[in-house]
């Protein structure tokens, strides 16, 4: 059976089947059950495989992840229908250029080999296909002004990154807003977070909240409600998407780190 035949039978895109088969995304229990039925797999074997798929999607709620954190988040990211995220230090991975990602990962993972850093960058670039696939993820981003004030990788890298942000905002499924310093204290001062919404009723929404240990996955109703309210609050306080794009256009020609006299320069 070809990928196109399977996709047509299951009512999804061929790219989804391809991502499942190549291990670039996990499969829901419903997907596994439907595919196995279509393939004519023995019911006893199919039941066991569906159980494995179910176990694989179990989440360690409230548990700080370490070495598996990135891969865990990436798996959930690939399954999400939409992501609402606030970043206070860096451009979100789904919107980074390759050079920006290389400079960022190289600084944060100074003890990694060049090969491992290159692998991390490659994975990050592959993740961005979620924005342009047949059924693209809906991405809403609020960036603190600090993100566009820090020259990660230098002037040329940042200029390319700003141009890439402008290009991304032309996608109908990407919304970008900048939260200016002038707002002062705001509802998201505790740190960066992402709210992931899933298409299946069987997969509850979750929040990934960054902290010093890496991050936490949260799913309790009160936690979700709090982070949704926080995101709505900072989105309302931020520049609207059009004004944010205009600000980025200005930054392409006049970066903030050049136009402002920093206190450190007077020391």
């Amino acid at each position: 059976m070809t990928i196109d035949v399977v996709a047509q039978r299951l009512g999804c895109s061929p790219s989804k089947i391809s991502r499942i088969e190549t291990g670039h995304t996990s499969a829901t229990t419903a997907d596994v059950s439907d595919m196995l039925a279509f393939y004519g797999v023995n019911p006893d074997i199919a039941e066991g495989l569906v159980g494995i798929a179910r176990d694989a999607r179990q989440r360690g709620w409230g548990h700080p992840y370490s070495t598996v954190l990135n891969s865990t988040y990436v798996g959930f990211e690939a399954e999400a229908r939409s992501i609402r995220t606030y970043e206070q230090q860096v451009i979100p991975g789904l919107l980074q250029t390759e050079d920006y990602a290389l400079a960022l990962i190289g600084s944060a993972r100074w003890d990694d080999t060049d090969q491992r850093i290159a692998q991390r960058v490659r994975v990050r670039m592959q993740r961005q296909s979620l924005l342009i696939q047949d059924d693209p993820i809906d991405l809403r981003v609020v960036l603190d002004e600090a993100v566009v004030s820090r020259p990660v990788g230098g002037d040329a890298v940042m200029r390319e990154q700003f141009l890439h942000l402008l290009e991304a905002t032309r996608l109908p499924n990407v919304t970008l807003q900048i939260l200016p310093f002038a707002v002062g204290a705001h509802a998201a001062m505790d740190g960066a977070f992402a709210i992931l919404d899933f298409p299946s009723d069987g997969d509850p929404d979750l929040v990934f909240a960054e902290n010093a240990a890496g991050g936490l996955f949260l799913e309790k109703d009160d936690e979700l409600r709090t982070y949704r309210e926080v995101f709505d609050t900072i989105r309302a306080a931020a520049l609207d998407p059009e004004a944010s794009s205009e600000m980025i256009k200005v930054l392409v020609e006049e970066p903030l780190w050049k136009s402002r006299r920093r206190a450190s320069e007077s020391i």
Side-chain angles (χ1 to χ4, degrees):
M1 300 175 189
T2 66
I3 287 178
D4 289 337
V5 169
V6 178
Q8 184 177 11
R9 177 63 179 267
L10 299 184
C12 64
S13 67
S15 62
K16 177 179 178 179
I17 302 300
S18 177
R19 292 196 306 275
I20 291 174
E21 290 190 349
T22 56
H24 285 94
T25 184
S26 60
T28 66
T29 53
D31 287 337
V32 173
S33 180
D34 291 344
M35 292 173 76
L36 295 178
F38 183 42
Y39 297 156
V41 174
N42 180 290
D44 292 335
I45 297 176
E47 182 179 358
L49 292 175
V50 170
I52 292 174
R54 184 181 299 110
D55 292 342
R57 294 175 60 81
Q58 293 298 313
R59 300 160 181 162
W61 308 113
H63 177 72
Y65 292 83
S66 54
T67 57
V68 299
L69 177 61
N70 289 339
S71 60
T72 302
Y73 177 82
V74 168
F76 291 146
E77 178 185 73
E79 292 294 328
R81 171 179 54 197
S82 69
I83 297 178
R84 288 166 284 175
T85 184
Y86 165 68
E87 284 287 355
Q88 59 182 181
Q89 292 293 336
V90 300
I91 303 293
L94 290 177
L95 297 178
Q96 292 176 10
T97 65
E98 185 170 350
D99 287 339
Y100 182 98
L102 181 61
L104 184 66
I105 295 174
S107 296
R109 303 274 185 173
W110 68 90
D111 55 343
D112 263 359
T113 64
D114 290 344
Q115 182 180 7
R116 282 186 57 85
I117 290 174
Q119 289 174 342
R120 292 180 186 278
V121 172
R122 185 161 54 252
V123 169
R124 186 159 300 183
M125 294 301 101
Q126 290 173 346
R127 288 166 52 195
Q128 297 179 4
S129 64
L130 294 173
L131 297 176
I132 57 174
Q133 63 189 18
D134 293 343
D135 184 20
I137 195 169
D138 183 65
L139 179 65
R140 304 177 191 179
V141 179
V142 175
L143 292 182
D144 194 281
E145 187 174 342
V147 176
V148 295
S149 301
R150 187 180 301 279
V152 175
D155 292 357
V157 171
M158 287 304 295
R159 185 175 187 277
E160 180 187 14
Q161 177 65 72
F162 289 148
L163 292 172
H164 183 69
L165 289 179
L166 290 173
E167 183 178 352
T169 59
R170 297 188 183 100
L171 295 173
N173 53 306
V174 176
T175 303
L176 176 67
Q177 294 178 255
I178 295 178
L179 186 65
F181 288 142
V183 170
H186 55 80
M189 297 290 285
D190 286 339
F193 63 88
I195 305 170
L196 290 81
D197 299 306
F198 298 93
S200 173
D201 293 336
D203 287 324
D205 298 343
L206 63 87
V207 170
F208 171 61
E210 294 185 15
N211 61 28
L216 296 174
F217 286 113
L218 310 169
E219 70 156 352
K220 293 180 180 178
D221 289 342
D222 58 335
E223 295 167 336
L224 290 169
R225 182 169 54 252
T226 295
Y227 276 96
R228 287 171 181 146
E229 291 173 352
V230 168
F231 188 81
D232 289 343
T233 299
I234 61 174
R235 185 180 61 176
L239 300 176
D240 63 37
E242 292 74 18
S244 298
S245 292
E246 289 302 316
M247 180 177 178
I248 295 173
K249 290 177 183 177
V250 172
L251 295 178
V252 171
E253 304 300 330
E254 188 179 6
L256 289 174
W257 55 90
K258 286 190 173 182
S259 62
R260 289 176 178 158
R261 183 173 183 270
R262 291 168 292 184
S264 59
E265 294 177 347
S266 63
I267 297 176

